[in-house]
Structure formats: structure tokens, C-alpha cells
Amino acid sequence: MQDNSLVGSVMNTRMLTCIFTGFASGLPYYVLIQLIPAWLRTEGVGLAEIGLLSLTQLPYTLKFIWAPLLDTFSLKILRLDMGLRRSWMFVTQVVLLVGISFLGFLDPTHHLFEITILCISVAVFSATFDISIDAFRRQILPDLELGLGNSIHVNAYRISSLIPGSLSLMLADLISWNFAFVVTSAFFIAGIIMTLFVKEPQISPQAKETGHSQFTAPFLEFFSRNGMKNSFFILLFMLTYKLGDSMATSLATPFYIDLGFSLTDIGLVAKNAALWTSIIGGILGGIIMIRIGINKALWIFGLIQIISILGFAILARVGENLWLLGAVVGFEYLGVGLGTAAFIAYIAKTTSKAFAATQFALFTALTAVPRTTISASSGYIVELMGWEHFFYLCTALAVPGMVLLLKIAPWDSDSKI
């Protein structure tokens, strides 16, 4: 029976849906951080202006502000009611397809303001799409499949970077930028078709049933379901579980350069080792979670994360060694893939299906806080402590999240918190 359950959890239409949602979710994000900067720079736009465009990523952090609307109101499309989740998924993808297509027809030297506004709009609709599919995924996946389904989604998200970051750049070089943007946006068609064929989850909005507004009901539900004390521990865990890991990788490329590795070494060895082992780790972690559950996975994968950080400390002491670079980076990002799989599955499990959009958006925004602050402070810490001791500090910062597992995810229980 267990083998049948495993096969049924891996080979089903829900997993196929997660592939489409992950790919469509990652595409606009990588357009903003990879394709747009390359386009603007080749057209002569200054680095200062390109750097300021990174502010267009703010909607991804602030999306929890309007997420309650997606838990409450569905959109009517040509007088058709596609349902609460599918209506938002459909509209946002269509807008993204049109908006990204239009970008390539603007002239960066004369329309930089219009491009900035359009990029902000793409980010807002992309973040809104993420809200809708996170809620959709939470509602279609049974608890047993949360780990694998979210792992597949995250890895499809990462793989989508190959379109704006590789294919689109080659098309721009060979043909034209406007053609590259049109082809890039055309990849949304698969996600739009998927949205038309999947079924709407049978979960109705509950804000009115609770007697609270759509903005307060999701938060009150979370605290009432878990209690104030447990809710505090859960939120603290979300802030700390990936803290050491995020800090260790926040300055990875400057670290490799300081050790004496060439840009070619970094591009061929470090970047490939990071991408593919994180994908392998994510999918492997999802499959393992079907067998052992989310709680045990958080313990095991968290321990692997801690051990893998120490590999950077060893590399810092040994210095330039190409084989060691590949091994350390591969093991570190295998741990990243495993840990992320368990962490996202835990976040999904912690959300209420009725308020999945708001709670998922809030929790993922919360996990971005350490990443943002770490990026600003890591450089100062390295200058003060040196690389090797910096990675020892990262290892130490990974411990509090593990200790909190005693409270929020005991080893011998995968029951509801």
C-alpha cells in the first residue's frame, strides 16, 4: 500500500499543475531581475538607473497587504464565474502576457519612465498571481503531498529562469529585443491554458462567516487556531530556520572571487553546482517527505543545512581549489534544496485553506525579512571577522531555528500544531 501511495502522490495531475504554476510564477520575476537589466544596459542606460529598478521587487514583499482581497472576491470574466482562485490566476497571467510583450516595443533612451511604470505593474500583477497560485496549491494538495507539490513548484520556478536569462538574451542578440520580449511572454500561454482546464478548489471564503472583515479574519483565525504562545513560536521559527543558510549564501560570489577563482570557474562550476543540486535536493526532499512527514524532514534537512555551511568554512581555510569548490557548493545547495522543500511545506501546512492567500503571502513575506537585512549587514561582518569565522557565525545562527522545532514540530508527531 505504501508503494501505491508513493506512486499516486508523485504521478498525478496535481503535480503536473504545480509544474505549470511554478514556471509561470518564476517567469515575470526573472524578466525583471535578468532580462530587463540586460536590455537596458545594452541600450545605454546607466547603472544607477538600472539599480533603482530593483525597487520594482517591493510588491513581492508587500503582497500580503492586498492578499485578503484574493481570499474574498472573485473576478467575473466575460460574465463567466471561474471561481475565487482561477479567476485571479487567469486575469493576472493575461495581463502579464500583454505587459511583457509591450515592453520590448519601448525605447529605453526615450521611454525610461514608461518602462519603470510598466515594470512596477508587472511586479504587482506577478505578486498577485503568486498570491492566487499559492492559495490554489494549498487547497488542491492533501497534506501528504504538500512537500513534493511545493518542491516541484519551487524547482519549476527556478528552471523558468532559463527563458529570460538565456533563451531571450540569445533571441535579442540574433533577431531583436521586441521579438525576444514577445517570445518570452508567449510562455504564459501554457499557464493560461492550464488555468482554463483545472478545477476550482471547493473552499468558500469565510471572512463573512466569522463576522470579521476580510483584512482581519485571516490573522484572527491564525492566532485563535494556534493560540498566542504557539503563534509566536511559529512566527519566530519562520524568521530563524533559514537564517544561517541565507547569510552563508548572501555573499557567495564575492567569496569565490576573494579566494582567487576566475569568473569562468565561478560560472561553470559554482553556478551550475548550485542550480542543479538545489533542484535535485528540492525534488528528493519532496519525495522523502511523503515517506517520513514534514516534521522529521525539518529536523533532518535542517541538520544537513547546518553541516553544509561548515563546508564554506573549510573552503575559506583551504583556499582556491576547483574540486573542493564544486563539492562544497554542491553539498551546500543540496542542503538549500532539501531545507527549502521542508520549510515551504511547513508554511503551507500552517496556513488555513480558507485564508490560504493572505496567510501564505504573510508568511512568505516574513521569511524574506532576514534575507533582506542579511544582505545589508553581511559585508560588514566579513570585513570584521574574516570569511572563515563569518561562516562559523552562520552555522551558529542556524541553531535557534532547530531548537524551536522542539516546540513547533516535534520529531515524533506530524499532527496539527
Side-chain angles (χ1 to χ4, degrees):
M1 289 297 292
Q2 285 185 337
D3 289 337
N4 291 335
S5 175
L6 178 61
V7 172
S9 296
V10 175
M11 305 294 292
N12 59 52
T13 55
R14 293 183 295 275
M15 298 302 134
L16 182 62
T17 300
C18 290
I19 294 175
F20 281 105
T21 60
F23 192 89
S25 176
L27 202 59
Y29 177 75
Y30 289 112
V31 165
L32 291 171
I33 70 168
Q34 292 182 341
L35 188 59
I36 298 293
W39 172 47
L40 296 180
R41 190 57 177 160
T42 59
E43 295 297 313
V45 177
L47 291 175
E49 290 85 352
I50 295 173
L52 286 174
L53 275 175
S54 63
L55 293 175
T56 59
Q57 297 176 43
L58 280 175
Y60 293 102
T61 303
L62 302 176
K63 62 185 178 181
F64 66 91
I65 295 173
W66 65 91
L69 298 175
L70 277 72
D71 266 331
T72 309
F73 303 107
S74 61
L75 302 174
K76 298 288 185 179
I77 304 164
L78 299 177
R79 297 186 179 181
L80 296 176
D81 186 1
M82 297 183 66
L84 185 64
R85 304 306 180 198
R86 291 171 65 235
S87 63
W88 286 99
M89 290 162 61
F90 180 83
V91 169
T92 50
Q93 286 183 98
V94 170
V95 172
L96 287 168
L97 186 153
V98 174
I100 292 173
S101 296
F102 187 68
L103 266 170
F105 292 92
L106 296 173
D107 182 358
T109 58
H110 297 97
H111 304 119
L112 191 57
F113 176 76
E114 289 83 352
I115 290 171
T116 302
I117 297 300
L118 193 50
C119 285
I120 293 172
S121 301
V122 167
V124 169
F125 280 97
S126 174
T128 304
F129 176 64
D130 289 351
I131 296 169
S132 64
I133 60 171
D134 286 342
F136 178 80
R137 203 168 61 253
R138 173 64 181 103
Q139 292 173 341
I140 66 169
L141 293 174
D143 285 355
L144 180 67
E145 297 176 5
L146 283 175
L148 181 60
N150 282 284
S151 298
I152 289 174
H153 171 87
V154 169
N155 286 309
Y157 186 105
R158 289 172 177 155
I159 290 172
S160 72
S161 67
L162 296 175
I163 304 304
S166 180
L167 175 64
S168 302
L169 295 179
M170 289 187 289
L171 290 174
D173 202 27
L174 295 172
I175 305 175
S176 66
W177 277 108
N178 55 7
F179 181 77
F181 276 100
V182 169
V183 171
T184 303
S185 65
F187 279 89
F188 280 107
I189 294 174
I192 292 170
I193 294 173
M194 176 274 298
T195 304
L196 294 173
F197 281 94
V198 294
K199 294 182 179 180
E200 175 72 14
Q202 298 303 307
I203 304 291
S204 60
Q206 292 186 359
K208 293 181 180 178
E209 296 175 15
T210 62
H212 300 286
S213 75
Q214 67 268 24
F215 290 96
T216 59
F219 304 98
L220 293 174
E221 187 280 336
F222 170 73
F223 285 104
S224 63
R225 172 164 47 93
N226 297 292
M228 287 298 296
K229 185 177 179 181
N230 276 348
S231 295
F232 170 77
F233 284 122
I234 291 169
L235 296 176
L236 187 60
F237 169 76
M238 291 180 182
L239 281 169
T240 57
Y241 184 69
K242 298 286 290 181
L243 181 60
D245 205 45
S246 296
M247 178 175 275
T249 57
S250 63
L251 292 175
T253 301
F255 169 58
Y256 306 146
I257 293 172
D258 283 358
L259 289 183
F261 292 104
S262 69
L263 295 179
T264 300
D265 292 338
I266 295 170
L268 289 177
V269 178
K271 297 303 181 182
N272 274 292
L275 174 63
W276 298 111
T277 54
S278 65
I279 289 173
I280 291 170
I283 294 179
L284 183 63
I287 294 173
I288 292 173
M289 272 186 281
I290 293 175
R291 289 288 195 181
I292 68 174
I294 295 173
N295 285 16
K296 288 185 175 68
L298 286 168
W299 283 91
I300 296 172
F301 300 165
L303 183 60
I304 292 174
Q305 280 184 160
I306 292 177
I307 296 172
S308 67
I309 295 172
L310 291 172
F312 280 128
I314 295 172
L315 184 61
R317 171 166 291 195
V318 172
E320 183 184 356
N321 183 303
L322 203 57
W323 288 103
L324 184 60
L325 174 68
V328 167
V329 173
F331 185 46
E332 164 64 21
Y333 280 88
L334 178 68
V336 168
L338 291 168
T340 300
F343 189 47
I344 298 298
Y346 174 80
I347 290 175
K349 181 182 176 182
T350 305
T351 62
S352 160
K353 288 188 176 183
F355 299 109
T358 305
Q359 292 180 0
F360 213 116
L362 178 64
F363 295 153
T364 52
L366 187 66
T367 61
V369 172
R371 258 197 331 267
T372 304
T373 55
I374 282 167
S375 297
S377 61
S378 293
Y380 295 102
I381 298 174
V382 172
E383 289 183 353
L384 182 66
M385 303 180 66
W387 283 112
E388 184 178 349
H389 289 91
F390 168 73
F391 290 120
Y392 292 143
L393 174 64
C394 294
T395 304
L397 289 174
V399 174
M402 295 294 294
V403 174
L404 284 167
L405 288 175
L406 292 167
K407 181 65 178 177
I408 60 98
W411 171 268
D412 58 353
S413 173
D414 264 303
S415 61
K416 185 178 177 181
I417 297 171

